[in-house]
Amino acid sequence: MDSAVSLTMKSASVSSSSFLAGSPFLISKNKNPNFNSKKPFFNPRRAARFFSKPLISLQSPGPTSQNPLPSSFSYSAVTETTDLLPCKLHQLISEFQSLPEQLDRLNRLLHYSTLLPHLPDSSRVDSNRVMGCTARVWLEATLDQDNKMRFRADSDSEITRGFCYCLASVFDGAAPEEVLRVKTEDLAALNVSLVGRERSRVNTWHNVFVSMQKRTKALVAERQGQKPFEPFPSLIVTKDGLQAKGSYAEAQARYLFPDESKVEELVNVLKEKKIGIVAHFYMDPEVQGVLTAAQKYWPHIYISDSLVMADTAVKMAKAGCQFITVLGVDFMSENVRAILDQAGFQDVGVYRMSGERIGCSLADAAATPAYMNYLEAASTNPPSLHVIYINTSLETKAYAHELVPTITCTSSNVVQTILQAFAQIPDLNIWYGPDSYMGANITELFQQIAMMSDEEIAEIHPKHNKDSIKSLLPRLHYYQDGTCIVHHLFGHEVVEKINEMYCDAFLTAHLEVPGEMFSLAMEAKKRGMGVVGSTKNILDFIKERVQEVLDRDVDDHLQFVLGTESGMVTSIVAAVCNLLGSAKSSGNSKINVEIVFPVSSDSMTKSSISSSSNLKSVTLGDVALPVIPGVASGEGCSTNGGCASCPYMKMNSLSSLLKVCHQLPHGKNNLKAYEAERFKSQTLQGKSIADVGCEPILHMRHFQAKKELPEKLVNQVIHPHSGNCKSMSLS
């Protein structure tokens, strides 16, 4: 429990009687004419008499009537009025902990539900809904004339009404800074362990509380006259269509319903020339819209993360495709080329979407002398294993594997890969790279796991416990100079805005985001409101939450903050539309699914006002930043219309795809610059770059299939080959 809570416990006498029924700090009259007089709230004087040590009144000294909450007001300020709320919270926790039987705890909640006044229909509206609860919950919050928070709540579930009564009674009448000082961790002990849906019940406590804090912040800001944050752009998906908020969202929505003539043109040329398409989730919205529509008429189109792209290309080749077009960055087309060669499909052509280099800031970070120096250090600390992110070039994988035994990983399997390696090889050192944010997030994750019980850790990996997790932390290293330029945008500015406006929404975050965004999503994950992982993990999480609401068949509004590249929205919207469409005939509920695109001012491009006179601009401080159009018409980078978007991925345009397809096969000579590179050079040990670079990928596939590292890799780690540790330079 938080120290702010525990410090006030020592003088509190814990009553074994019911916390709220007949509680000495409940009264039914309220002098505030703006507040519902039927709603009970806490009387500090009665509370002070109740505890063995008198508590100081909650009435704080003297804000003026002209400025009840001065500009110097701080949420974290420690005042002399902080004792009562922690004591009330502690007594509530003690009450439920004193009830050993589940039936007793259930009956206590049902009793409290009878004490909670029902909200009128005018208050049971979408704007008052609390997201993330199994039942429907409504919450109203006001800041009264004495600068105290007033809460009213209701639910269509009797058990949840009991929860709401407890929380509203604890926080009602508290000062804003007191409400905001409490942490979600302080509610952890309020797990009443009801049979069947224990996890969802804990989430109810937390999610109602988070909504209380969000509304408290908004009311304080309003009273102080602060200008509210502008909302991020978003897309709202319903059974009947789409609603776009913001110019960027409008551009995304426009391409979700593509020109049918473009779809027909693409499908015809794909069929005629037996061309398959593998595309990454981060594609331009125009391209993804056309591809998604074309999938209905040609089965050899697939949109996925980078790992699945190569596997799918092999399946397409087996099905008779003579060419594979890759819509992604260059390391993806390299991997497709190499894996097809490994599978015996050397005659299948592989084509990129540009005659220019399609780079990747993360892959480039690993193709540097600095990264090789990092691995040189690893090679002098045996036994060592290099765990390299799949989003790197084949050449990097080959050079790295000859220096330190290497296995690739994805954002969805990296944690299990590392845990299995430590369990399988004694005294192992692991060197992860090149993504610095992911490395830091993995380290933070293991530090959190180390605080779990042995039983909880065993559920994550059966061969680990608290001691083994603590012992591996000093032997887990990560490269500290590699980032994805897109995920780098999810920094402090974005996190601050999410905390203010979207803390009660579902938060999704790729493992590559900076630590602040990672921590925020991890906190949401603990209460069932977030996911941290790969693009596929994010897509699956959203689909699961939507399906849960469809199964309940109730009106609901789900809001998801998209903490990854905005190109993901096409696949998300398509999946949500399919779910809502399939439920159209079976239910009458009104369900809105809102996808929010976080925007950072860092995502803007500075340019001269005089040279951009025709562009709209936004002003941040003294700097005017015109909106710079992207590849897709209408796509811009500004706080009014622009999001985390990869400029390299946007080099894969629809016009390039059609150009490549139309010129195959007879115009191949004109497409030399578009062909995926087949490595003919050799490593320093005289081996094929393609062969050596594919081996770490094959090690990962073995791990995915068998759930253990292959014996060959283990032997390479334990008995590194003589001569592997040679200096090499990529400069």
Side-chain angles (χ1 to χ4, degrees):
M1 184 173 297
D2 187 83
S3 58
V5 177
S6 60
L7 286 174
T8 60
M9 289 186 211
K10 54 185 178 182
S11 62
S13 62
V14 179
S15 170
S16 60
S17 62
S18 174
F19 169 57
L20 297 173
S23 171
F25 35 72
L26 281 178
I27 64 175
S28 58
K29 294 183 179 180
N30 188 329
K31 295 180 181 180
N32 178 10
N34 298 320
F35 190 71
N36 188 332
S37 62
K38 295 181 181 180
K39 175 71 180 74
F41 70 98
F42 289 101
N43 183 327
R45 293 182 179 178
R46 293 185 186 178
R49 292 197 299 269
F50 177 75
F51 291 106
S52 58
K53 179 179 179 181
L55 300 175
I56 298 173
S57 170
L58 275 177
Q59 298 296 326
S60 40
T64 65
S65 58
Q66 290 86 357
N67 186 17
L69 282 174
S71 59
S72 60
F73 174 82
S74 170
Y75 295 148
S76 59
V78 177
T79 71
E80 294 182 343
T81 68
T82 60
D83 286 349
L84 184 57
L85 188 149
C87 289
K88 292 187 291 188
L89 180 58
H90 171 59
Q91 187 169 350
L92 176 62
I93 291 170
S94 298
E95 176 186 352
F96 279 102
Q97 289 180 341
S98 71
L99 299 173
E101 299 297 328
Q102 292 178 344
L103 184 59
D104 293 336
R105 294 191 289 271
L106 175 61
N107 286 334
R108 184 63 54 86
L109 283 173
L110 291 174
H111 169 66
Y112 286 150
S113 73
T114 65
L115 304 180
L116 185 71
H118 287 280
L119 287 176
D121 290 342
S122 59
S123 297
R124 293 163 68 101
V125 294
D126 287 346
S127 60
N128 287 335
R129 283 288 300 277
V130 177
M131 281 185 283
C133 300
T134 304
R136 289 187 295 175
V137 183
W138 297 268
L139 174 69
E140 275 192 337
T142 56
L143 183 60
D144 71 16
Q145 59 190 12
D146 296 321
N147 303 321
K148 304 299 180 187
M149 290 304 304
R150 300 300 179 184
F151 295 106
R152 296 195 304 163
D154 201 358
S155 175
D156 56 8
S157 158
E158 293 303 309
I159 295 176
T160 304
R161 279 174 52 81
F163 288 149
C164 292
Y165 183 77
C166 293
L167 287 172
S169 298
V170 167
F171 291 101
D172 182 69
E177 65 267 28
E178 293 180 291
V179 176
L180 297 170
R181 189 175 294 114
V182 179
K183 301 177 181 178
T184 54
E185 291 87 347
D186 299 333
L187 304 183
L190 284 175
N191 178 4
V192 297
S193 300
L194 300 179
V195 175
R197 284 183 165 174
E198 178 177 326
R199 180 177 176 83
S200 65
R201 303 305 182 194
V202 179
N203 294 344
T204 298
W205 289 113
H206 288 173
N207 295 334
V208 173
F209 166 66
V210 168
S211 290
M212 286 178 164
Q213 288 194 319
K214 175 185 176 180
R215 296 170 201 209
T216 298
K217 291 177 186 177
L219 288 167
V220 169
E222 181 181 359
R223 180 156 295 186
Q224 291 180 344
Q226 296 176 6
K227 185 178 180 180
F229 279 112
E230 287 292 324
F232 288 134
S234 66
L235 270 178
I236 300 175
V237 188
T238 69
K239 291 180 179 179
D240 301 318
L242 296 175
Q243 176 188 350
K245 295 182 177 180
S247 61
Y248 184 87
E250 290 170 0
Q252 297 281 336
R254 185 161 59 249
Y255 292 121
L256 289 169
F257 304 98
D259 184 340
E260 285 298 326
S261 65
K262 293 291 185 183
V263 175
E264 184 179 4
E265 178 185 359
L266 178 62
V267 170
N268 289 340
V269 71
L270 295 178
K271 287 181 176 180
E272 176 190 350
K273 301 182 178 182
K274 297 182 179 178
I275 300 172
I277 297 176
V278 290
H280 195 271
F281 282 127
Y282 294 169
M283 280 303 95
D284 180 89
E286 180 184 20
V287 177
Q288 285 211 54
V290 172
L291 293 182
T292 301
Q295 283 176 320
K296 302 173 185 177
Y297 311 105
W298 180 241
H300 305 305
I301 300 173
Y302 202 77
I303 304 170
S304 68
D305 58 23
S306 56
L307 176 65
V308 179
M309 290 169 68
D311 295 337
T312 305
V314 172
K315 294 178 182 177
M316 292 177 180
K318 290 179 178 178
C321 288
Q322 297 178 3
F323 305 97
I324 304 294
T325 50
V326 180
L327 279 70
V329 295
D330 283 348
F331 74 77
M332 297 176 184
S333 58
E334 291 172 8
N335 286 345
V336 169
R337 174 71 277 164
I339 295 301
L340 281 171
D341 289 347
Q342 290 275 333
F345 293 102
Q346 293 88 347
D347 294 336
V348 173
V350 178
Y351 289 88
R352 304 155 56 249
M353 292 299 105
S354 174
E356 305 294 326
R357 177 178 175 272
I358 308 178
C360 168
S361 61
L362 192 56
D364 292 346
T368 62
Y371 195 75
M372 290 300 116
N373 291 337
Y374 167 71
L375 295 182
E376 288 273 9
S379 69
T380 62
N381 288 274
S384 284
L385 174 67
H386 176 216
V387 178
I388 189 169
Y389 196 25
I390 188 71
N391 292 359
T392 48
S393 72
L394 207 63
E395 191 172 23
T396 295
K397 294 181 180 75
Y399 289 149
H401 192 38
E402 285 204 340
L403 198 54
V404 183
T406 298
I407 184 172
T408 56
C409 71
T410 68
S411 48
S412 58
N413 68 22
V414 60
V415 172
Q416 287 297 322
T417 300
I418 291 173
L419 287 175
Q420 179 58 32
F422 275 123
Q424 203 168 334
I425 305 175
D427 303 318
L428 179 67
N429 286 284
I430 284 184
W431 306 77
Y432 169 80
D435 193 296
S436 303
Y437 288 139
M438 189 184 293
N441 293 340
I442 293 167
T443 302
E444 170 65 22
L445 180 60
F446 284 147
Q447 290 170 346
Q448 293 183 24
I449 293 174
M451 294 186 288
M452 297 179 178
S453 67
D454 286 345
E455 292 75 15
E456 290 172 323
I457 294 172
E459 291 181 5
I460 298 172
H461 195 286
K463 294 185 179 180
H464 281 285
N465 54 36
K466 289 174 70 75
D467 291 338
S468 69
I469 297 296
K470 288 178 181 178
S471 69
L472 68 80
L473 283 169
R475 293 178 282 118
L476 176 60
H477 316 272
Y478 65 91
Y479 186 60
Q480 300 195 18
D481 195 22
T483 59
C484 166
I485 60 173
V486 172
H487 293 113
H488 175 70
L489 298 178
F490 294 95
H492 176 74
E493 178 189 344
V494 167
V495 168
E496 182 181 20
K497 190 167 178 179
I498 291 173
N499 259 326
E500 291 293 326
M501 296 189 65
Y502 301 98
C503 59
D504 57 345
F506 292 99
L507 302 184
T508 73
H510 198 280
L511 261 177
E512 296 177 27
V513 298
E516 281 188 285
M517 184 69 180
F518 171 80
S519 297
L520 200 65
M522 283 296 294
E523 188 279 328
K525 184 177 185 293
K526 291 177 182 177
R527 53 189 173 88
M529 293 293 292
V531 61
V532 178
S534 66
T535 49
K536 185 178 185 302
N537 295 146
I538 291 172
L539 180 59
D540 289 345
F541 175 81
I542 294 173
K543 289 163 62 178
E544 288 166 6
R545 299 291 82 77
V546 173
Q547 188 60 57
E548 287 173 358
V549 174
L550 290 173
D551 291 341
R552 293 200 298 269
D553 195 21
V554 295
D555 292 352
D556 212 339
H557 179 92
L558 304 181
Q559 189 178 57
F560 296 92
V561 177
L562 185 60
T564 188
E565 216 274 357
S566 58
M568 271 292 293
V569 73
T570 308
S571 295
I572 291 171
V573 169
V576 171
C577 285
N578 286 338
L579 289 172
L580 297 181
S582 64
K584 223 171 185 181
S585 57
S586 59
N588 297 317
S589 56
K590 180 183 177 182
I591 299 172
N592 299 329
V593 180
E594 184 175 9
I595 312 299
V596 178
F597 309 95
V599 180
S600 166
S601 60
D602 290 341
S603 66
M604 303 179 203
T605 303
K606 296 182 181 180
S607 69
S608 164
I609 298 296
S610 61
S611 65
S612 308
S613 56
N614 294 327
L615 297 175
K616 296 180 180 179
S617 65
V618 295
T619 302
L620 290 182
D622 298 329
V623 181
L625 300 169
V627 177
I628 306 300
V631 172
S633 174
E635 177 188 348
C637 291
S638 78
T639 52
N640 297 314
C643 299
S645 184
C646 177
Y648 299 114
M649 287 289 188
K650 301 310 183 272
M651 292 173 70
N652 295 268
S653 66
L654 180 61
S655 59
S656 291
L657 175 60
L658 290 171
K659 171 186 174 181
V660 170
C661 291
H662 280 303
Q663 292 199 32
L664 290 173
H666 303 297
K668 286 195 292 184
N669 289 336
N670 299 327
L671 298 175
K672 285 293 183 182
Y674 289 74
E675 281 192 77
E677 184 176 1
R678 178 180 276 123
F679 288 102
K680 298 178 182 178
S681 56
Q682 296 182 330
T683 67
L684 292 185
Q685 295 187 15
K687 299 179 181 178
S688 162
I689 283 180
D691 290 342
V692 180
C694 279
E695 191 166 293
I697 300 174
L698 298 177
H699 289 331
M700 179 184 66
R701 290 194 173 154
H702 182 281
F703 168 71
Q704 289 179 303
K706 304 293 185 181
K707 305 306 178 187
E708 64 179 13
L709 303 188
E711 184 178 346
K712 180 179 180 180
L713 178 60
V714 173
N715 287 333
Q716 289 172 344
V717 172
I718 297 175
H719 307 291
H721 295 302
S722 174
N724 273 7
C725 301
K726 294 181 179 178
S727 297
M728 54 187 63
S729 174
L730 299 182
S731 58

